[in-house]
Structures are given as C-alpha cells and as structure tokens.
Amino acid sequence: MPNYILIVTVIILLCLFLNKLSSRLGIPVLLAFILLGMLFGTDGLLKISFDNYRIAEEICTVSLIFIMFYGGFGTNWKQAKPVAGKAVLLSTLGVLLTAVATGLFCYGVLHFRFWESMLIGAVLSSTDAASVFSILRSKQLNLKDNTASMLEMESGSNDPCSYMLTVIILAVMKGGFTGGSLVRLVVLQLVFGVVVGVIVAAFGAWVLSQMKNTSDGVDTIFVFSMALLAYAGAAVLGGNGYLSTYLAGLILGNRPLHNKKSLVHFFDGLTGLMQMLIFFLLGLLAFPSALPGIIPVAFAIALFLTFVARPVSVFAILTPFRCSVRQQLLVAWSGLRGAASIVFAILATVDPAYTKNDLFHIVIFIVLFSISIQGSLLGIMARKLDMIDDRNNVMKTFSDYSEEVPVEFVKIVIKKDHPWAGRMIKDVTSLPDLLLVLILRGEERIVPKGDTVILEGDRIVLSALSPEEHLGLYLSEISIDKESPWIGLPLSKVKLEEGSLVLVLMREDRVKIPNGNTVIRENDILVVSQV
C-alpha cells in the first residue's frame, strides 16, 4: 500500500509541475497529462500494467460528473443568455450534424460498417468543456461578440447529446431495437434529465438558503452530494445523468449562494484533480505501440472532423443568425475533442456491441491531434481572425469571477449605552465616507432606510473604501499569561512599542474592539498593528 500511495503522490506532483510548465510553453495542460499516463503505462518507462476498461469507465464516469457539474456551475448565465440559443443549437443540432457527417465519411470513404461508422461519429461529436475552459482561462482569450460565452455553454452542454447518441447506436448495434424503443429512450433521456436536474437544483438552493450559520465545509459537502444526486437520480430513472448534472450545476452556480467563493475554490480544485485523473488514466490505458496501426485511419478522421464536419455544422447553424464569418471560423476551430469522447469510447469498448476497429485508440489519437494542434493554435487563430477584445475580460463569462471592488466592511454591535441606540439612521452622525449597508437583528437581515430605527442588540455593517496602496501595517498577537505584568491594567496604562496599537482583544469565545478603559485579563489575546 505505501508503494501505491507514493506512486500516486509522485503522479499528482508531476501533473502539477506539468501544469506550470505547459502554461509557459503554450501547450494545453491536458495534453501533458495524457502523455504522462502513456509514459507510465505498459509501453512506457514504469511499465504499469493497466488494461481494465470496465474500472476505467467507472472512474472516468464519476470524474466526468464533477467536470460536467462545474461546467454548468462556472457558467455565468447573465453573460451567456444573449448567445444561449446559438449555444444550445450547437450543442444539440450541431452534435447531430457532426456525428452524421463524420459517420458518413467513415462509411463512404474509409469503408467501415455503417453502424460502427455512426458510433465513431457519435463518440467524437461533442467538444470538450475541460479543454475549452482551460485554454480560455490560461491564455486569457477575451473574445469579441460574446464568443467565449457561446463556446463555454456549448462545450459544457453538448456532452449529454453525444452520450445519448452513443447509447442509442450501441442499443441498435446489439439488435432488438424498434422505433418505439428509440422514441421511449430519447424521451426518458431528455425528460428525466431535465426534470431531475431542475428539482435537485431547486432543492439544493433551498437547503443552502437555510444553512447560513453552519460550520465551514458543510455547505461544500452538501453541494458535492447534489452533483452526485443529479446524475444518479436521472440515471436510475433512465434519464440522461450528464444533462441532469449540467443543469443542476448551471442553476445552482447562478444563485446568490452563501459562501459561494469557498464553493468555487473547492470545485475548481476538485475538477482540476478530476481532469488530472481522467487524462492520466486514459493515457495509462492506451498502448502507444497500438497507435501506428491506426494512424492512417485516425488521421483521416481527425482532418475531416476538424476541417469539414465541424465547420459545416457551425456554418449551418450560425449563418441564419448573421454571425460574422470570422466568428464562425473561430467557433469551428474551437471544437476541441477531449475527455468525454474518450470516456464514451471506453463505454463503447466495454459494451457487448461488436466493433471491428480499435475504436479506443482511434479516439485517443484524434483527441491528441485536437488538443495539440487546435488547442495550441487557438490563441493564434483568434488573433489572426481579429477576434480578440482587449476591452473585455474572459473571466467575467464564468460565474466564479468577481470584480475587484475596493470596498471593505466592518461590523459593530449596538449596546445599551451606544449613542446610536433608539435613533433613526437619518439622524445618526457618522464618520464621512462610511455607509450603513445592513442591519442584523437576530435572524433578520434588514436593508436600512433613512427612517429605520437602530435598536439595542443590532449588529450594524458599515462599508468604506479600502486603501488603494499598501499601508505597511503588520499584525501580531500577544498572549497574556498569568505572569504578564499587564494583567489588571487598562490599555491606556500599557506601554507598547512606538507605532503599535491594539486593534482587537480576544477573550474566550468573544472578540471585542477595545478602548483605553478596557482592562486586560489573564488568557486574553491582543491583536496588535505595527507600522
């Protein structure tokens, strides 16, 4: 066991190192993860033998759940709404057109069997959210005409359609599949996928609104469980679990959640780990020695997919919307294939349906081609097509982005003898440039007005502009033990170093702002600022 733990730790550290290195070299980091997996695999240096497609499919499915959930959770609906119609058409009709075109190419030109050709088209029909998100963020590609939002929403939402096509074709290949069965499968996939996703999101949002005073981490664990529930709930009913998961993430991510910043940090780290795991595992599962045999076929499919199938589907959908040719060319080039395509290829590999060709390694090659060529050149293509918008910030298209507003908040408690107790806000005289923004009265949250009366026991939240420059203030703590000469003295009698001031006094479970008359007791902790 220690040996396995050591290997896993080394792999994670190498992935983190490659993450930094790839950003400097301009190489998509996900490509580095999959190549690292190949390096560790049977044909690589460490000769780690792993060929269990069934276990890989289960692990990758769980990983894809969180990648899909965060794909929705991180999409800023306000930014995406103007292009939502185009994105949805690209993620549904666009997936279908790409799948059919690629399938017909494999059937008519490469002479694959018909349904196997359609299966390859279905598996490769969706674009990869992890790859698109990673490149847009790392390269800070601020794109014109809200193109970034369109790409993010399309890549985040088209995997469910690709999955549904893959499932349908596999069912047909196994035989005994009628027209009625097809209609029933499609209806169940869509209806339960949508309904369960919306219900889970609504339930999750309601519970989170009641969890304002819970300990740190409880809400994070709850949202984690909601992602799993959205997938499992839909899948058990015969619905599309990936669609349900994406919708639940999209709805929850655009709600005003308490502690959303910590949720974002958690899922950002979790999906980063899932991406490392899924791409490394897929690389480990691949046999580089098997690639030369499929290169001619896979290369032909990759070229057709990149330069014919994807552009044709994009132009067919976006031209009626009068999108510029430059935007359509960039959207077409941004159709990166990635984790979902390989996971669906594994699904096809473990399925009883017979396939003559090495579908898994064909898809591996196409993904490597897509990420390395399209991914590396995406920034260059955007500049060549004059689609870079220097006045905008691509991070605003993600729901985890928050503007850097130079405002800070302070909270004070209104005690019995406080000069504000019993007075209306309009009659209160405070320091200039301070604004009373919230009154906390028990469990009630009151947005103040001029005639709002401040009561004893209220907790008042004030806002002020934060300093724009570094002020050179440093904080330190002084613990008062039983031998301290300061015990029993008021703060006004305590001699501190020049330029020092006691800001906060912590006593047992209470925190208070002291004044000169505050008497120091044993076990007090003083927080001191020093210039």
Side-chain angles (χ1 to χ4, degrees), residues 137-390:
R137 285 181 182 239
S138 63
K139 294 182 181 293
Q140 286 287 295
L141 292 181
N142 312 315
L143 304 179
K144 294 179 180 179
D145 304 327
N146 218 358
T147 305
S149 289
M150 189 193 307
L151 291 174
E152 290 151 16
M153 191 167 190
E154 180 211 0
S155 62
S157 61
N158 60 13
D159 289 339
C161 188
S162 178
Y163 171 76
M164 186 167 64
L165 287 176
T166 302
V167 170
I168 290 172
I169 293 172
L170 286 173
V172 172
M173 292 176 70
K174 285 181 287 189
F177 202 68
T178 63
S181 301
L182 174 62
V183 172
R184 181 175 179 274
L185 177 61
V186 172
V187 170
L188 287 177
Q189 284 272 305
L190 294 177
V191 171
F192 284 120
V194 172
V195 171
V196 172
V198 172
I199 291 176
V200 168
F203 171 71
W206 178 79
V207 172
L208 288 169
S209 69
Q210 310 298 313
M211 296 173 62
K212 295 176 182 177
N213 297 317
T214 57
S215 59
D216 292 341
V218 174
D219 49 358
T220 303
I221 297 171
F222 177 77
V223 175
F224 179 92
S225 67
M226 289 299 98
L228 294 174
L229 178 62
Y231 177 85
V236 166
L237 296 173
N240 193 315
Y242 293 117
L243 175 60
S244 176
T245 302
Y246 176 79
L247 283 176
L250 180 65
I251 296 171
L252 279 175
N254 286 275
R255 298 279 296 179
L257 302 178
H258 183 63
N259 285 339
K260 185 174 182 181
K261 189 173 182 180
S262 62
L263 288 171
V264 166
H265 288 165
F266 171 78
F267 279 101
D268 195 34
L270 178 64
T271 53
L273 181 61
M274 292 297 103
Q275 289 173 25
M276 290 181 193
L277 173 64
I278 197 170
F279 276 87
F280 177 83
L281 188 61
L282 295 174
L284 194 67
L285 195 61
F287 286 82
S289 59
L291 293 178
I294 53 88
I295 283 180
V297 169
F299 188 61
I301 297 173
L303 290 178
F304 180 84
L305 183 63
T306 305
F307 296 103
V308 180
R310 169 71 176 177
V312 166
S313 64
V314 168
F315 274 77
I317 292 169
L318 296 185
T319 298
F321 289 97
R322 297 183 179 180
C323 296
S324 67
V325 173
R326 293 181 294 109
Q327 184 184 33
Q328 294 185 65
L329 286 172
L330 184 60
V331 172
W333 186 259
S334 303
L336 278 66
R337 314 297 141 172
S341 293
I342 306 178
V343 173
F344 299 156
I346 296 176
L347 177 65
T349 301
V350 301
D351 195 89
Y354 172 73
T355 54
K356 182 179 179 181
N357 296 279
D358 188 353
L359 180 63
F360 177 73
H361 284 94
I362 289 174
V363 173
I364 282 282
F365 180 89
I366 294 172
V367 168
L368 289 174
F369 174 88
S370 179
I371 295 177
S372 59
I373 304 300
Q374 290 176 265
S376 298
L377 297 178
L378 183 55
I380 295 174
M381 289 292 290
R383 290 179 179 85
K384 290 290 184 182
L385 294 169
D386 191 28
M387 286 295 293
I388 299 294
D389 185 1
D390 293 326

Side-chain angles (χ1 to χ4, degrees), residues 21 43 68 82 88 111 181 217 220 237 268 276 301 337 349 388 396 438 449 454 474 480 492 500 502 504:
L21 182 62
D43 288 352
M68 288 289 297
V88 170
H111 306 297
S181 301
T220 303
L237 296 173
D268 195 34
M276 290 181 193
I301 297 173
R337 314 297 141 172
T349 301
I388 299 294
K396 292 182 181 180
L438 185 65
K449 299 179 180 179
I454 301 173
Y474 301 94
I480 306 299
S492 59
S500 297
V502 177
V504 175

